[in-house]
Amino acid sequence: MLSTLMQRYKSNRQKHALFYEKELFEHRNKPLNILQIGIGTSISVWHKYLSYSNIYCIDEFNNLQPNKYKYLEEKRIFWSRCDINDQKSINDVMINTWNKPRFNFIIDNETSRYQYLRRYCIGKYYIETSDGVEVKK
C-alpha cells in the first residue's frame, strides 16, 4: 500500500517504500506526530498512509513558495519556513511556532541535523542515505 501511494504521488522516497512499510505499518491507525525535514510529495503520502497522525514539515522553500504546494492546506498538515541547517532557526520554529512538539518519528535525509532535532524526537529518527535508511533512537 505504501509503495502504491509513493508511486501515485511521485515521492522521492520510493526506493525506501519497503523499509517504511515495515517500520510504520503497525502505526497506521495511531495518532502520532511525524516530522519530515524538507518539502516533498511524500507529505501527501504520510498524510494518506498515517490517517490519524499530524504531519509536520520544515523547509527553506527556496525553490517554490508554500502556496504552490496545495497539500500543505490539508487538515493535520503543519508546516513552517526555516533554515533547516541552523539550530537557532529550528529551535525558534519548535518553541515559538509549534510550542515544543514531540515527534514519534522524524524523517530526514541529512545526518548533520540530527544533533539539532533529536531533542524533539521521542521515537525513531530516520536518516535516509543512498544505501538505505539509518535508524537512530
Side-chain angles (χ1 to χ4, degrees), residues 6-111:
M6 287 191 174
Q7 288 174 359
R8 180 182 304 154
Y9 291 104
K10 297 179 175 87
S11 171
N12 61 338
R13 293 181 157 80
Q14 287 183 37
K15 67 181 178 180
H16 304 301
L18 182 59
F19 171 84
Y20 284 120
E21 181 88 45
K22 289 178 183 177
E23 286 285 310
L24 301 176
F25 182 78
E26 67 183 69
H27 303 287
R28 285 184 35 222
N29 297 313
K30 295 179 182 176
L32 305 172
N33 288 323
I34 312 297
L35 173 65
Q36 177 174 295
I37 312 305
I39 194 69
T41 56
S42 52
I43 298 289
S44 293
V45 173
W46 306 134
H47 185 257
K48 295 281 188 204
Y49 188 71
L50 303 165
S51 57
Y52 295 96
S53 295
N54 293 316
I55 313 300
Y56 292 79
C57 175
I58 53 174
D59 195 283
E60 296 171 353
F61 293 99
N62 289 333
N63 297 325
L64 287 174
Q65 294 304 308
N67 63 354
K68 300 294 182 187
Y69 302 98
K70 295 298 179 194
Y71 54 85
L72 293 178
E73 298 172 9
E74 295 284 338
K75 292 180 181 178
R76 300 186 295 104
I77 293 180
F78 306 91
W79 63 272
S80 186
R81 180 189 308 258
C82 82
D83 181 346
I84 58 176
N85 295 303
D86 178 66
Q87 183 176 5
K88 185 177 182 212
S89 182
I90 290 171
N91 286 338
D92 182 56
V93 169
M94 297 299 171
I95 294 167
N96 298 319
T97 304
W98 291 338
N99 196 26
K100 301 178 188 175
R102 294 291 179 250
F103 299 105
N104 301 93
F105 301 106
I106 296 179
I107 300 167
D108 197 354
N109 62 0
E110 176 71 41
T111 58

